mmCIF file of all heavy atoms in Angstrom:
data_model
loop_
_atom_site.group_PDB
_atom_site.id
_atom_site.type_symbol
_atom_site.label_atom_id
_atom_site.label_comp_id
_atom_site.label_asym_id
_atom_site.label_seq_id
_atom_site.Cartn_x
_atom_site.Cartn_y
_atom_site.Cartn_z
ATOM 1 N N GLY A 141 192.434 235.499 178.481
ATOM 2 C CA GLY A 141 193.297 235.351 177.310
ATOM 3 C C GLY A 141 193.500 236.718 176.689
ATOM 4 O O GLY A 141 192.936 237.710 177.179
ATOM 5 N N GLU A 142 194.270 236.780 175.617
ATOM 6 C CA GLU A 142 194.612 238.069 174.983
ATOM 7 C C GLU A 142 193.382 238.877 174.559
ATOM 8 O O GLU A 142 193.419 240.101 174.526
ATOM 9 C CB GLU A 142 195.496 237.836 173.747
ATOM 10 C CG GLU A 142 196.933 237.446 174.075
ATOM 11 C CD GLU A 142 197.693 238.524 174.835
ATOM 12 O OE1 GLU A 142 197.531 239.710 174.502
ATOM 13 O OE2 GLU A 142 198.440 238.175 175.759
ATOM 14 N N ALA A 143 192.284 238.165 174.231
ATOM 15 C CA ALA A 143 191.081 238.869 173.760
ATOM 16 C C ALA A 143 190.326 239.551 174.906
ATOM 17 O O ALA A 143 189.499 240.433 174.666
ATOM 18 C CB ALA A 143 190.153 237.901 173.036
ATOM 19 N N LEU A 144 190.611 239.153 176.140
ATOM 20 C CA LEU A 144 189.937 239.778 177.288
ATOM 21 C C LEU A 144 190.660 241.088 177.616
ATOM 22 O O LEU A 144 191.843 241.084 177.963
ATOM 23 C CB LEU A 144 189.953 238.839 178.491
ATOM 24 C CG LEU A 144 189.145 239.336 179.692
ATOM 25 C CD1 LEU A 144 187.643 239.156 179.435
ATOM 26 C CD2 LEU A 144 189.535 238.595 180.965
ATOM 27 N N GLN A 145 189.943 242.180 177.489
ATOM 28 C CA GLN A 145 190.554 243.503 177.676
ATOM 29 C C GLN A 145 189.681 244.368 178.573
ATOM 30 O O GLN A 145 188.460 244.164 178.633
ATOM 31 C CB GLN A 145 190.683 244.192 176.313
ATOM 32 C CG GLN A 145 191.560 243.450 175.331
ATOM 33 C CD GLN A 145 191.094 243.722 173.906
ATOM 34 O OE1 GLN A 145 191.388 244.777 173.373
ATOM 35 N NE2 GLN A 145 190.356 242.799 173.326
ATOM 36 N N ALA A 146 190.329 245.297 179.246
ATOM 37 C CA ALA A 146 189.582 246.176 180.154
ATOM 38 C C ALA A 146 190.003 247.622 179.949
ATOM 39 O O ALA A 146 191.114 247.915 179.488
ATOM 40 C CB ALA A 146 189.813 245.758 181.596
ATOM 41 N N LEU A 147 189.076 248.505 180.312
ATOM 42 C CA LEU A 147 189.309 249.950 180.260
ATOM 43 C C LEU A 147 188.811 250.531 181.580
ATOM 44 O O LEU A 147 187.639 250.353 181.932
ATOM 45 C CB LEU A 147 188.528 250.541 179.084
ATOM 46 C CG LEU A 147 188.418 252.064 179.024
ATOM 47 C CD1 LEU A 147 189.789 252.703 178.821
ATOM 48 C CD2 LEU A 147 187.472 252.478 177.895
ATOM 49 N N ALA A 148 189.704 251.202 182.307
ATOM 50 C CA ALA A 148 189.316 251.805 183.585
ATOM 51 C C ALA A 148 188.894 253.247 183.347
ATOM 52 O O ALA A 148 189.583 254.006 182.663
ATOM 53 C CB ALA A 148 190.482 251.742 184.559
ATOM 54 N N PHE A 149 187.750 253.620 183.916
ATOM 55 C CA PHE A 149 187.287 255.007 183.842
ATOM 56 C C PHE A 149 187.716 255.773 185.090
ATOM 57 O O PHE A 149 187.520 256.977 185.170
ATOM 58 C CB PHE A 149 185.759 255.068 183.747
ATOM 59 C CG PHE A 149 185.191 254.411 182.509
ATOM 60 C CD1 PHE A 149 184.181 253.465 182.617
ATOM 61 C CD2 PHE A 149 185.654 254.747 181.249
ATOM 62 C CE1 PHE A 149 183.643 252.872 181.488
ATOM 63 C CE2 PHE A 149 185.122 254.156 180.114
ATOM 64 C CZ PHE A 149 184.114 253.215 180.235
ATOM 65 N N SER A 150 188.226 255.028 186.088
ATOM 66 C CA SER A 150 188.569 255.651 187.366
ATOM 67 C C SER A 150 189.787 254.944 187.950
ATOM 68 O O SER A 150 189.952 253.736 187.750
ATOM 69 C CB SER A 150 187.368 255.500 188.313
ATOM 70 O OG SER A 150 187.778 255.215 189.618
ATOM 71 N N PRO A 151 190.625 255.681 188.699
ATOM 72 C CA PRO A 151 191.775 255.018 189.326
ATOM 73 C C PRO A 151 191.356 253.995 190.376
ATOM 74 O O PRO A 151 192.128 253.131 190.762
ATOM 75 C CB PRO A 151 192.572 256.175 189.961
ATOM 76 C CG PRO A 151 191.747 257.396 189.820
ATOM 77 C CD PRO A 151 190.576 257.120 188.943
ATOM 78 N N GLU A 152 190.093 254.107 190.842
ATOM 79 C CA GLU A 152 189.587 253.171 191.863
ATOM 80 C C GLU A 152 189.088 251.844 191.255
ATOM 81 O O GLU A 152 188.675 250.950 191.971
ATOM 82 C CB GLU A 152 188.409 253.785 192.609
ATOM 83 C CG GLU A 152 188.774 254.388 193.952
ATOM 84 C CD GLU A 152 189.218 255.827 193.795
ATOM 85 O OE1 GLU A 152 188.344 256.676 193.699
ATOM 86 O OE2 GLU A 152 190.428 256.073 193.759
ATOM 87 N N ALA A 153 189.084 251.745 189.950
ATOM 88 C CA ALA A 153 188.522 250.560 189.288
ATOM 89 C C ALA A 153 189.237 249.290 189.746
ATOM 90 O O ALA A 153 190.459 249.294 189.912
ATOM 91 C CB ALA A 153 188.661 250.711 187.782
ATOM 92 N N PRO A 154 188.480 248.204 189.956
ATOM 93 C CA PRO A 154 189.138 246.956 190.373
ATOM 94 C C PRO A 154 190.085 246.442 189.288
ATOM 95 O O PRO A 154 189.829 246.633 188.100
ATOM 96 C CB PRO A 154 187.971 245.987 190.580
ATOM 97 C CG PRO A 154 186.796 246.580 189.902
ATOM 98 C CD PRO A 154 187.023 248.058 189.828
ATOM 99 N N SER A 155 191.167 245.808 189.714
ATOM 100 C CA SER A 155 192.117 245.263 188.736
ATOM 101 C C SER A 155 192.310 243.767 188.925
ATOM 102 O O SER A 155 193.052 243.136 188.188
ATOM 103 C CB SER A 155 193.456 245.979 188.845
ATOM 104 O OG SER A 155 193.941 245.857 190.160
ATOM 105 N N MET A 156 191.659 243.211 189.960
ATOM 106 C CA MET A 156 191.703 241.760 190.134
ATOM 107 C C MET A 156 190.383 241.283 190.724
ATOM 108 O O MET A 156 189.582 242.099 191.191
ATOM 109 C CB MET A 156 192.885 241.336 190.988
ATOM 110 C CG MET A 156 192.960 241.985 192.335
ATOM 111 S SD MET A 156 194.374 241.381 193.272
ATOM 112 C CE MET A 156 195.714 242.000 192.311
#
Side-chain angles (χ1 to χ4, degrees):
E142 286 297 320
L144 186 75
Q145 299 150 78
L147 168 65
F149 298 128
S150 141
E152 261 87 81
S155 57
M156 55 179 66

